[in-house]
Amino acid sequence: MAQMNLLQAINSALDIAMAHNDGVVVFGEDVGQFGGVFRATSHLQEKYGKGRCFNTPLTEQGIAGFANGLAAQGCYPVAEMQFADYIFPAFDQIVNESAKFRYRSGNEFHVGGLTIRSPYGGGIAGGLYHSQSPEGYFTHTPGLKVVIPSNPYQAKGLLLSSIFDDDPVIFFEPKRLYRAAVGEVPEDEYRLPLGQAQVLEEGQDITLLAWGAQVEVIQKAAQLAKDEGMSCEVIDLCSLLPWDQETVVQSVIKTGRLLVSHEAPLTSGFGAEIAATVQEHAFLHLEAPIARVCGLDTPFPLVHEKEYLPDHLKVFEAIKYSLNY
Amino acid sequence: MSKPDLATIQAVPDPLFIHEDALKISTFQVLDETGNVIQGIHEPHLEKDVALRIYHTMQFVRVLDERMVAAQRQGRISFYMQCLGEEAAIIASAAGLSDTDMIMSQYREHGALAYRGFTLEEFMNQMFSNECDLGKGRQMPIHYGSQRCHFMTVSSPLATQIPQAAGYAYGQKLKGADACTLCYFGEGAASEGDFHAGMNMAAVLKTPTIFFCRNNGYAISTAADEQYVGDGIACRGVGYGMKTIRVDGFDALAVYEATRVAREHACQHNEPVLIEAIAYRVGAHSTSDDPSGYRTKDEEEKWQKMDPVKRFEDYLLQKGWINLSEEEKRIEALKKDVLQAVKKAEKIDKPDLDQLIEDVYQTPPKHLKQQLQHLKDHIKKYPRHYPTTASRLD
């Protein structure tokens, strides 16, 4: 075990993956000798050579297309999109190509080795284009897996699983936590299962659900609620596609209440999918409407970032509203 | 020039703009319109068996295209695209490769797949979306693919295969395989952002990719002069720092030779090459298109006379490698085979309903299995409304 922040955990996962399999190739804008604008790929070129860790020209659609080809060839490309806000030029390659490669060819070809990593989320004064949480665009795409870790331990274990998973994975990293989140992380290889949620705290009165950087926000709100005698069950979803319906529905059947929280805008956010599914499977157990505490339906603002974000106080208020319903 | 460096730049005193005509790229030709080697041009070496394989693949594609356009008109298949006029560009370029090089195509390059030995039955099964189709009936007709033939499955979005071809070839280089990737696309697709992305990535990352542009004058109804104003597609290759050649797409021998040399260069130096083949789309864009709305009969007739198959046939006749009466018999037999294959393929069952959820992921996740079960229960309730699947449900 070692103390690692989230970036170090990701770097450790990449290092282990590259040592484990010669087909693992890491690339993107500035990831080479420089080691990435966040330093997630530090020293990898030094260790594994320019052939396996390198800079690409500045073209997201090119990076995604190149990664698709490399994966179709049998390699394990780990492509970096510098910010999730800039993944949209690659949207066509990801949605029309990566996601449909195996299906459309009848499994003659596939890009199962593909992983796309990208820092996402707000809270760093990033304004419109260094703050977005685009997971909802991708969870609407059959064929993709979408994974978002919330701490260093998860980041390493989930990234290693994502790289060697048989399907293409979009791996969003909460950049606000890159250096802020520090924890015990095994130095050796370990993998955490995709598609499985994690119950962080057990509780009786309400289920709180989030992923990525938002997990610590709902934990903080759960603590405020606890101080006032309310018992919250806190779940970290970890994987959004496919997502762990069973764990969430079981929890709601027990507590009778659900609050989902994400940074992305409310309308058509992934919270809507969860709310609809839970009301279908736990209708007779629900004691209050399912609450969604999310970003506003606006572009991500600079000066009003604090007001925009679904912080612990907004979550706390929604918990009380639900319990008093 | 790699990094710009003012110290080594050659300065000029006047604002001298480079004229767009400064780089007029010439066209490589070997055979004239009657199949004779043009005087003063070195005749490339082409083995007799390769020449015959090219020629017979051309015949096959001609017969197949004619028959399948008719089958679409009769409503037997939903869609078709023929490659009339572009047979030499496609089939002779495939012949310039090694059979284990990867081919990534747009959609009008089934001649390359035929050259690789994709069988008549395999073509039919795909077009009729039956249960023998390698693609399991999921894609529109002509979206072929075959791992065995090293021919990447076609997808409809244009130019997406261009950066993919750079990545695929990079993998070949990384593994030290003596192999390259050839990527076909039309001049219309070359206007997509993925063309720029893929070409530049291949050049910068030094991948053994051959980019092969079929410049056939039209992207559906859009004539090439509404597609670009530069010197075709070839001049762009030079801009990306790539070895580039323009070739007469009606001349199988020139296409073969250009591709053979391009392959040698790509594999030996791990560098991409661009080939632009000048051709003409003699047929309609697809069975959903009528070109009379955007071009004249005169124009079409002018190009129809430049038949690439006839030109190569004339060359082979002069070589004494073929005999016309034998070839006529062969074509008659081929027509019968194709007709039989149509009848056979249309009688084969459609893929099982379970195929609907297979291959979305390597293993169907729980929610997909639930959705399939729900669908089956529904079909059982209304069997007459779903005749192809209802009777086969357990």
Side-chain angles (χ1 to χ4, degrees), chain A residues 14-31:
Chain A
L14 293 172
D15 190 357
I16 286 170
M18 290 180 90
H20 178 90
N21 188 311
D22 286 346
V24 178
V25 184
V26 173
F27 54 91
E29 295 156 13
D30 306 297
V31 309

PDB file of all heavy atoms in Angstrom, chain A residues 14-31:
ATOM      1  N   LEU A  14      -1.679   2.883 -15.537  1.00  0.00           N
ATOM      2  CA  LEU A  14      -1.153   2.883 -16.904  1.00  0.00           C
ATOM      3  C   LEU A  14       0.195   2.164 -16.955  1.00  0.00           C
ATOM      4  O   LEU A  14       0.459   1.369 -17.868  1.00  0.00           O
ATOM      5  CB  LEU A  14      -1.005   4.329 -17.406  1.00  0.00           C
ATOM      6  CG  LEU A  14      -2.314   5.095 -17.613  1.00  0.00           C
ATOM      7  CD1 LEU A  14      -2.038   6.564 -17.921  1.00  0.00           C
ATOM      8  CD2 LEU A  14      -3.152   4.474 -18.739  1.00  0.00           C
ATOM      9  N   ASP A  15       1.030   2.437 -15.971  1.00  0.00           N
ATOM     10  CA  ASP A  15       2.346   1.814 -15.895  1.00  0.00           C
ATOM     11  C   ASP A  15       2.207   0.285 -15.829  1.00  0.00           C
ATOM     12  O   ASP A  15       2.848  -0.448 -16.584  1.00  0.00           O
ATOM     13  CB  ASP A  15       3.063   2.374 -14.651  1.00  0.00           C
ATOM     14  CG  ASP A  15       4.529   1.977 -14.598  1.00  0.00           C
ATOM     15  OD1 ASP A  15       4.990   1.225 -15.486  1.00  0.00           O
ATOM     16  OD2 ASP A  15       5.226   2.417 -13.658  1.00  0.00           O
ATOM     17  N   ILE A  16       1.337  -0.166 -14.945  1.00  0.00           N
ATOM     18  CA  ILE A  16       1.143  -1.612 -14.780  1.00  0.00           C
ATOM     19  C   ILE A  16       0.574  -2.238 -16.058  1.00  0.00           C
ATOM     20  O   ILE A  16       1.031  -3.286 -16.510  1.00  0.00           O
ATOM     21  CB  ILE A  16       0.225  -1.892 -13.568  1.00  0.00           C
ATOM     22  CG1 ILE A  16       1.014  -1.637 -12.284  1.00  0.00           C
ATOM     23  CG2 ILE A  16      -0.331  -3.308 -13.608  1.00  0.00           C
ATOM     24  CD1 ILE A  16       0.176  -1.631 -11.029  1.00  0.00           C
ATOM     25  N   ALA A  17      -0.390  -1.544 -16.658  1.00  0.00           N
ATOM     26  CA  ALA A  17      -1.007  -2.083 -17.885  1.00  0.00           C
ATOM     27  C   ALA A  17       0.041  -2.207 -18.992  1.00  0.00           C
ATOM     28  O   ALA A  17       0.079  -3.200 -19.724  1.00  0.00           O
ATOM     29  CB  ALA A  17      -2.158  -1.188 -18.337  1.00  0.00           C
ATOM     30  N   MET A  18       0.899  -1.197 -19.119  1.00  0.00           N
ATOM     31  CA  MET A  18       1.912  -1.211 -20.184  1.00  0.00           C
ATOM     32  C   MET A  18       2.957  -2.290 -19.934  1.00  0.00           C
ATOM     33  O   MET A  18       3.456  -2.908 -20.863  1.00  0.00           O
ATOM     34  CB  MET A  18       2.578   0.167 -20.305  1.00  0.00           C
ATOM     35  CG  MET A  18       1.629   1.209 -20.866  1.00  0.00           C
ATOM     36  SD  MET A  18       2.382   2.834 -21.021  1.00  0.00           S
ATOM     37  CE  MET A  18       3.062   2.747 -22.679  1.00  0.00           C
ATOM     38  N   ALA A  19       3.279  -2.511 -18.664  1.00  0.00           N
ATOM     39  CA  ALA A  19       4.247  -3.553 -18.327  1.00  0.00           C
ATOM     40  C   ALA A  19       3.635  -4.935 -18.557  1.00  0.00           C
ATOM     41  O   ALA A  19       4.305  -5.869 -18.988  1.00  0.00           O
ATOM     42  CB  ALA A  19       4.681  -3.406 -16.872  1.00  0.00           C
ATOM     43  N   HIS A  20       2.354  -5.028 -18.312  1.00  0.00           N
ATOM     44  CA  HIS A  20       1.625  -6.298 -18.373  1.00  0.00           C
ATOM     45  C   HIS A  20       1.433  -6.780 -19.816  1.00  0.00           C
ATOM     46  O   HIS A  20       1.465  -7.970 -20.089  1.00  0.00           O
ATOM     47  CB  HIS A  20       0.264  -6.084 -17.702  1.00  0.00           C
ATOM     48  CG  HIS A  20      -0.642  -7.260 -17.716  1.00  0.00           C
ATOM     49  ND1 HIS A  20      -0.635  -8.187 -16.712  1.00  0.00           N
ATOM     50  CD2 HIS A  20      -1.576  -7.675 -18.607  1.00  0.00           C
ATOM     51  CE1 HIS A  20      -1.532  -9.115 -16.987  1.00  0.00           C
ATOM     52  NE2 HIS A  20      -2.115  -8.819 -18.128  1.00  0.00           N
ATOM     53  N   ASN A  21       1.207  -5.838 -20.734  1.00  0.00           N
ATOM     54  CA  ASN A  21       0.870  -6.214 -22.111  1.00  0.00           C
ATOM     55  C   ASN A  21       1.474  -5.223 -23.105  1.00  0.00           C
ATOM     56  O   ASN A  21       1.214  -4.025 -23.027  1.00  0.00           O
ATOM     57  CB  ASN A  21      -0.668  -6.243 -22.237  1.00  0.00           C
ATOM     58  CG  ASN A  21      -1.119  -6.821 -23.568  1.00  0.00           C
ATOM     59  OD1 ASN A  21      -0.636  -6.423 -24.632  1.00  0.00           O
ATOM     60  ND2 ASN A  21      -2.043  -7.764 -23.514  1.00  0.00           N
ATOM     61  N   ASP A  22       2.267  -5.763 -24.051  1.00  0.00           N
ATOM     62  CA  ASP A  22       2.948  -4.926 -25.047  1.00  0.00           C
ATOM     63  C   ASP A  22       1.976  -4.190 -25.962  1.00  0.00           C
ATOM     64  O   ASP A  22       2.357  -3.240 -26.638  1.00  0.00           O
ATOM     65  CB  ASP A  22       3.847  -5.793 -25.948  1.00  0.00           C
ATOM     66  CG  ASP A  22       5.088  -6.246 -25.219  1.00  0.00           C
ATOM     67  OD1 ASP A  22       5.371  -5.678 -24.148  1.00  0.00           O
ATOM     68  OD2 ASP A  22       5.756  -7.176 -25.715  1.00  0.00           O
ATOM     69  N   GLY A  23       0.748  -4.663 -26.018  1.00  0.00           N
ATOM     70  CA  GLY A  23      -0.232  -4.039 -26.906  1.00  0.00           C
ATOM     71  C   GLY A  23      -0.848  -2.776 -26.324  1.00  0.00           C
ATOM     72  O   GLY A  23      -1.590  -2.075 -27.020  1.00  0.00           O
ATOM     73  N   VAL A  24      -0.552  -2.465 -25.071  1.00  0.00           N
ATOM     74  CA  VAL A  24      -1.118  -1.253 -24.463  1.00  0.00           C
ATOM     75  C   VAL A  24      -0.325  -0.042 -24.970  1.00  0.00           C
ATOM     76  O   VAL A  24       0.893   0.031 -24.804  1.00  0.00           O
ATOM     77  CB  VAL A  24      -1.089  -1.317 -22.920  1.00  0.00           C
ATOM     78  CG1 VAL A  24      -1.626  -0.017 -22.322  1.00  0.00           C
ATOM     79  CG2 VAL A  24      -1.911  -2.505 -22.430  1.00  0.00           C
ATOM     80  N   VAL A  25      -1.030   0.894 -25.604  1.00  0.00           N
ATOM     81  CA  VAL A  25      -0.397   2.059 -26.213  1.00  0.00           C
ATOM     82  C   VAL A  25      -1.123   3.309 -25.709  1.00  0.00           C
ATOM     83  O   VAL A  25      -2.357   3.374 -25.763  1.00  0.00           O
ATOM     84  CB  VAL A  25      -0.498   1.990 -27.755  1.00  0.00           C
ATOM     85  CG1 VAL A  25       0.237   3.153 -28.396  1.00  0.00           C
ATOM     86  CG2 VAL A  25       0.067   0.671 -28.280  1.00  0.00           C
ATOM     87  N   VAL A  26      -0.350   4.267 -25.198  1.00  0.00           N
ATOM     88  CA  VAL A  26      -0.932   5.454 -24.579  1.00  0.00           C
ATOM     89  C   VAL A  26      -0.613   6.678 -25.427  1.00  0.00           C
ATOM     90  O   VAL A  26       0.551   6.912 -25.755  1.00  0.00           O
ATOM     91  CB  VAL A  26      -0.352   5.631 -23.146  1.00  0.00           C
ATOM     92  CG1 VAL A  26      -0.800   6.951 -22.530  1.00  0.00           C
ATOM     93  CG2 VAL A  26      -0.764   4.456 -22.260  1.00  0.00           C
ATOM     94  N   PHE A  27      -1.645   7.448 -25.806  1.00  0.00           N
ATOM     95  CA  PHE A  27      -1.376   8.610 -26.655  1.00  0.00           C
ATOM     96  C   PHE A  27      -2.469   9.662 -26.529  1.00  0.00           C
ATOM     97  O   PHE A  27      -3.545   9.404 -25.989  1.00  0.00           O
ATOM     98  CB  PHE A  27      -1.219   8.185 -28.121  1.00  0.00           C
ATOM     99  CG  PHE A  27      -2.373   7.378 -28.651  1.00  0.00           C
ATOM    100  CD1 PHE A  27      -3.444   7.990 -29.274  1.00  0.00           C
ATOM    101  CD2 PHE A  27      -2.392   6.005 -28.506  1.00  0.00           C
ATOM    102  CE1 PHE A  27      -4.519   7.244 -29.744  1.00  0.00           C
ATOM    103  CE2 PHE A  27      -3.456   5.245 -28.978  1.00  0.00           C
ATOM    104  CZ  PHE A  27      -4.523   5.877 -29.601  1.00  0.00           C
ATOM    105  N   GLY A  28      -2.159  10.839 -27.042  1.00  0.00           N
ATOM    106  CA  GLY A  28      -3.082  11.966 -26.980  1.00  0.00           C
ATOM    107  C   GLY A  28      -2.269  13.248 -27.077  1.00  0.00           C
ATOM    108  O   GLY A  28      -1.074  13.214 -27.390  1.00  0.00           O
ATOM    109  N   GLU A  29      -2.923  14.368 -26.776  1.00  0.00           N
ATOM    110  CA  GLU A  29      -2.228  15.651 -26.879  1.00  0.00           C
ATOM    111  C   GLU A  29      -1.354  15.869 -25.649  1.00  0.00           C
ATOM    112  O   GLU A  29      -1.860  15.805 -24.521  1.00  0.00           O
ATOM    113  CB  GLU A  29      -3.250  16.781 -27.033  1.00  0.00           C
ATOM    114  CG  GLU A  29      -4.030  16.669 -28.339  1.00  0.00           C
ATOM    115  CD  GLU A  29      -5.390  17.362 -28.297  1.00  0.00           C
ATOM    116  OE1 GLU A  29      -5.653  18.136 -27.357  1.00  0.00           O
ATOM    117  OE2 GLU A  29      -6.196  17.100 -29.215  1.00  0.00           O
ATOM    118  N   ASP A  30      -0.077  16.061 -25.836  1.00  0.00           N
ATOM    119  CA  ASP A  30       0.890  16.369 -24.758  1.00  0.00           C
ATOM    120  C   ASP A  30       1.139  15.238 -23.765  1.00  0.00           C
ATOM    121  O   ASP A  30       1.649  15.474 -22.686  1.00  0.00           O
ATOM    122  CB  ASP A  30       0.451  17.635 -23.981  1.00  0.00           C
ATOM    123  CG  ASP A  30       0.211  18.812 -24.900  1.00  0.00           C
ATOM    124  OD1 ASP A  30       1.169  19.241 -25.551  1.00  0.00           O
ATOM    125  OD2 ASP A  30      -0.945  19.283 -24.995  1.00  0.00           O
ATOM    126  N   VAL A  31       0.768  14.010 -24.107  1.00  0.00           N
ATOM    127  CA  VAL A  31       0.944  12.918 -23.145  1.00  0.00           C
ATOM    128  C   VAL A  31       2.346  12.307 -23.201  1.00  0.00           C
ATOM    129  O   VAL A  31       2.712  11.540 -22.319  1.00  0.00           O
ATOM    130  CB  VAL A  31      -0.087  11.772 -23.337  1.00  0.00           C
ATOM    131  CG1 VAL A  31      -1.494  12.291 -23.382  1.00  0.00           C
ATOM    132  CG2 VAL A  31       0.220  10.961 -24.584  1.00  0.00           C
TER     133      VAL A  31
END
